Amino acid sequence: MSLKINYNVSAMIANNSLKLNDNKLSTSLERLSSGFKINSAKDDAAGLAISRRMNAQLKGLRAASQDAKDGISVIEIADGALSEVHDILQRMNELAIKSSNGTMEDGDRDAIQMEVAQLAEEIDRIGQTTEYNSQKLFTGEFDLKGFTNQLEIKVDKYSDANMFGEYKLDMTDLEFLVDEKNEVTLTSYGGSADNTVSVLRPDGKNELYKVSGDFYHLNFKGDNGDEFTLDISGYKIYEGAGVTTTMNDNGDGTYTYTYAQADPAKSAIDLDLTGYGAMTFQIGANESQTLDVRFEKLSMETLGFKNQDSDQTKDMILDLGTRDGALRGIDQVTAAINQVSSMRSRLGAYQNRLEHTGTNLATSDENMTAAYSRIMDTDMAEEMSNYSNYQVVSQAATAILAQANERPSQMLQLLQ
């Protein structure tokens, strides 16, 4: 055993052990006081990177869960408005049935028509004013969009079963039947007696579409579920508009008009149907995890009570002022009830989906929080055991360092 006084190696060894245990004790104290196992990158570099991504996902899930709840609120507001429209239509149905009764006088039917006109105006008002966060829901802004290559011709609406893309329709010949009340309905299209026409679809296929409608709208419906309605106001007959007109007297108070476009540029319509326009809800923490919700336009025109772009209530197609009009009105109101029912059914399906989405997000949040906790949280029982161990070792190192520091002074006794 060598005896030296210049360098106290024993003290250095004890001091290094004390520093090492003191660092461990400090780390343990930090974990116990913060509750986190990872407080800095040095604690677990890989675990920190994983936990930061997971934390961002957690916050995104919670934000998406709130988005889903907001979406449910929007749909509840829309459904509440449509519920009132349903009640209005039920009242209109009662009035139509009353007006069709032979016991009614003309004055009674006039009063019924006045009430029906006001009820229809109220439906219009509901469609124009129902909103969420200053966004109008039933003005058609949040519905599927469609465009044509001709400024005058509008796509009123189309089914969500449509294939998005461009369609080509031949509009060479249009034939309408005009009755004694000047009500105009389509009788043939493109020279086809059964009102079918070949339509070029976006996928390159030519398919037959059944065509029906009146002077203001043409309704196209394919066997595959594709369906769209065109506002054909651009095809009204104007002098000098390049349209030839042939009138045939049917001898029974009706006339058949054949409208043929002489301008080749107007003999076909190019349709561009897009999926843009629906209200998009972000229902997930990642990109493209969305749900598009359609809110169809609600108005007297879309319910079939008034001609398109007609500003006057007196121009209503729904006329209960006569018994014949009331009989037709029953079917018209029934069709409107079915249409609103379809709108509410779609919104109900959206709401059910959002509620399931919310439940799924809550489950994902719960499971991911558990995974995040396993990475980040301190096991308090284990860490307390470690802390006690480090504390005892630190105390022992302190005692040994004190003894090591005393050894050089002991060497002085050899010099006495």
Side-chain angles (χ1 to χ4, degrees):
M1 177 179 178
S2 60
L3 300 175
K4 304 173 183 179
I5 61 173
N6 286 327
Y7 297 100
N8 192 345
V9 177
S10 298
M12 292 175 63
I13 294 173
N15 186 53
N16 286 338
S17 296
L18 180 61
K19 287 181 178 179
L20 180 62
N21 283 284
D22 190 61
N23 288 336
K24 291 180 179 179
L25 184 62
S26 297
T27 300
S28 184
L29 281 170
E30 185 179 25
R31 289 174 176 174
L32 288 170
S33 60
S34 67
F36 290 114
K37 182 165 52 178
I38 303 175
N39 291 283
S40 62
K42 68 179 180 63
D43 294 333
D44 184 353
L48 180 68
I50 295 171
S51 66
R52 290 302 90 189
R53 290 197 302 269
M54 196 171 291
N55 189 49
Q57 189 79 359
L58 275 171
K59 292 182 181 296
L61 285 173
R62 289 163 188 169
S65 179
Q66 184 59 52
D67 289 346
K69 293 176 183 176
D70 290 342
I72 290 174
S73 298
V74 175
I75 291 175
E76 286 176 343
I77 289 174
D79 185 64
L82 292 179
S83 175
E84 193 60 35
V85 171
H86 250 156
D87 291 341
I88 292 174
L89 291 174
Q90 294 292 356
R91 174 58 180 167
M92 294 171 73
N93 186 57
E94 293 177 11
L95 294 173
I97 293 173
K98 285 184 178 180
S99 182
S100 64
N101 192 3
T103 61
M104 288 287 175
E105 295 181 348
D106 291 343
D108 299 329
R109 292 193 175 95
D110 289 342
I112 288 175
Q113 180 62 20
M114 289 178 59
E115 181 178 350
V116 166
Q118 290 300 313
L119 292 174
E121 289 285 355
E122 179 60 17
I123 291 176
D124 239 7
R125 190 197 66 80
I126 291 174
Q128 293 167 6
T129 60
T130 302
E131 62 181 44
Y132 179 86
N133 193 27
S134 301
Q135 298 184 87
K136 310 290 187 184
L137 299 182
F138 294 121
T139 58
E141 179 181 353
F142 295 113
D143 200 3
L144 302 174
K145 304 297 182 183
F147 307 93
T148 75
N149 62 335
Q150 299 185 32
L151 181 63
E152 304 89 347
I153 301 173
K154 306 290 189 293
V155 178
D156 185 37
K157 63 180 179 179
Y158 66 92
S159 168
D160 51 9
N162 276 87
M163 176 184 295
F164 301 148
E166 295 184 355
Y167 294 75
K168 293 184 181 295
L169 294 81
D170 182 9
M171 301 288 287
T172 304
D173 296 306
L174 301 174
E175 187 172 296
F176 295 91
L177 178 66
V178 184
D179 64 15
E180 67 275 7
K181 296 184 178 298
N182 266 348
E183 293 182 348
V184 190
T185 54
L186 179 69
T187 56
S188 70
Y189 171 80
S192 172
D194 59 356
N195 284 6
T196 59
V197 65
S198 178
V199 177
L200 181 61
R201 288 162 38 92
D203 55 6
K205 296 180 179 179
N206 278 288
E207 291 193 0
L208 292 179
Y209 277 66
K210 186 75 173 177
V211 186
S212 61
D214 56 25
F215 191 52
Y216 297 92
H217 291 78
L218 287 181
N219 307 306
F220 298 82
K221 186 170 184 178
D223 292 336
N224 58 2
D226 285 359
E227 183 177 4
F228 42 88
T229 299
L230 283 180
D231 173 8
I232 60 166
S233 58
Y235 277 84
K236 291 180 180 178
I237 304 306
Y238 297 106
E239 291 295 332
V243 181
T244 59
T245 307
T246 303
M247 183 183 74
N248 298 313
D249 188 346
N250 299 319
D252 57 358
T254 64
Y255 301 88
T256 299
Y257 287 82
T258 301
Y259 304 141
Q261 289 289 353
D263 184 357
K266 292 216 171 193
S267 64
I269 296 179
D270 294 336
L271 295 179
D272 184 8
L273 304 184
T274 74
Y276 301 111
M279 183 178 285
T280 302
F281 297 142
Q282 181 69 33
I283 56 173
N286 302 320
E287 184 182 4
S288 301
Q289 293 180 342
T290 59
L291 173 64
D292 291 337
V293 176
R294 288 178 54 200
F295 295 94
E296 296 180 36
K297 184 176 181 180
L298 177 67
S299 66
M300 286 194 288
E301 291 91 345
T302 58
L303 292 182
F305 294 157
K306 193 169 72 169
N307 288 330
Q308 190 79 1
D309 300 327
S310 174
D311 295 329
Q312 303 296 325
T313 305
K314 66 181 181 181
D315 292 334
M316 285 178 55
I317 302 173
L318 181 63
D319 181 13
L320 307 187
T322 64
R323 187 172 185 275
D324 290 341
L327 290 172
R328 288 192 299 270
I330 295 175
D331 290 337
Q332 289 175 283
V333 174
T334 299
I337 291 174
N338 292 336
Q339 182 175 340
V340 174
S341 296
S342 176
M343 294 169 66
R344 294 187 68 185
S345 295
R346 178 182 290 109
L347 291 178
Y350 285 138
Q351 183 170 345
N352 287 336
R353 183 174 174 182
L354 285 172
E355 288 177 351
H356 287 301
T357 296
T359 302
N360 181 56
L361 288 172
T363 302
S364 298
D365 185 16
E366 177 185 339
N367 294 331
M368 191 165 291
T369 299
Y372 180 76
S373 174
R374 280 189 287 270
I375 296 174
M376 289 294 296
D377 286 351
T378 299
D379 185 333
M380 299 299 287
E382 180 183 357
E383 196 59 44
M384 192 63 202
S385 176
N386 292 337
Y387 172 76
S388 299
N389 182 57
Y390 297 148
Q391 192 175 41
V392 170
V393 173
S394 181
Q395 290 172 353
T398 301
I400 295 301
L401 179 59
Q403 293 183 24
N405 287 334
E406 289 293 327
R407 291 191 66 188
S409 63
Q410 294 173 1
M411 298 301 101
L412 295 177
Q413 295 178 5
L414 297 176
L415 302 176
Q416 295 177 357

